[in-house]
């Protein structure tokens, strides 16, 4: 697996991940949030797990899947 540490204050962040990884979210959010917006059809419990740790205040984090639009 892997780990991503995130800190957002008065802003936001996008995390781009493929749909075939699992995500475990360990964040503290105050007037903000974190949301997995990937379109996951079949979750594989044996897939790699990415741990997202951090803090969000007056902002948020969106977890999105890789597309041609965000490929840059």
């Amino acid at each position: 697996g892997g780990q991503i540490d995130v800190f957002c204050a008065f802003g936001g962040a996008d995390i781009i991940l493929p749909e075939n990884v699992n995500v475990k979210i360990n964040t503290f959010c105050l007037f903000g949030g974190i949301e997995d917006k990937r379109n996951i059809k079949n979750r594989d419990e044996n897939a790699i797990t990415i741990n997202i740790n951090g803090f969000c205040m007056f902002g948020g984090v969106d977890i999105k899947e890789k597309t041609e639009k965000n490929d840059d």
Side-chain angles (χ1 to χ4, degrees), residues 23-61:
V23 174
K24 184 175 179 187
I25 300 170
N26 298 310
T27 57
F28 176 77
C29 298
L30 180 66
F31 299 107
I34 184 165
E35 184 177 359
D36 190 348
K37 295 187 171 185
R38 297 174 300 151
N39 183 19
I40 300 172
K41 297 175 183 108
N42 297 317
R43 189 169 303 273
D44 181 4
E45 296 299 324
N46 296 320
I48 294 172
T49 299
I50 304 293
N51 293 298
I52 299 178
N53 303 315
F55 177 78
C56 299
M57 181 175 68
F58 297 100
V61 176

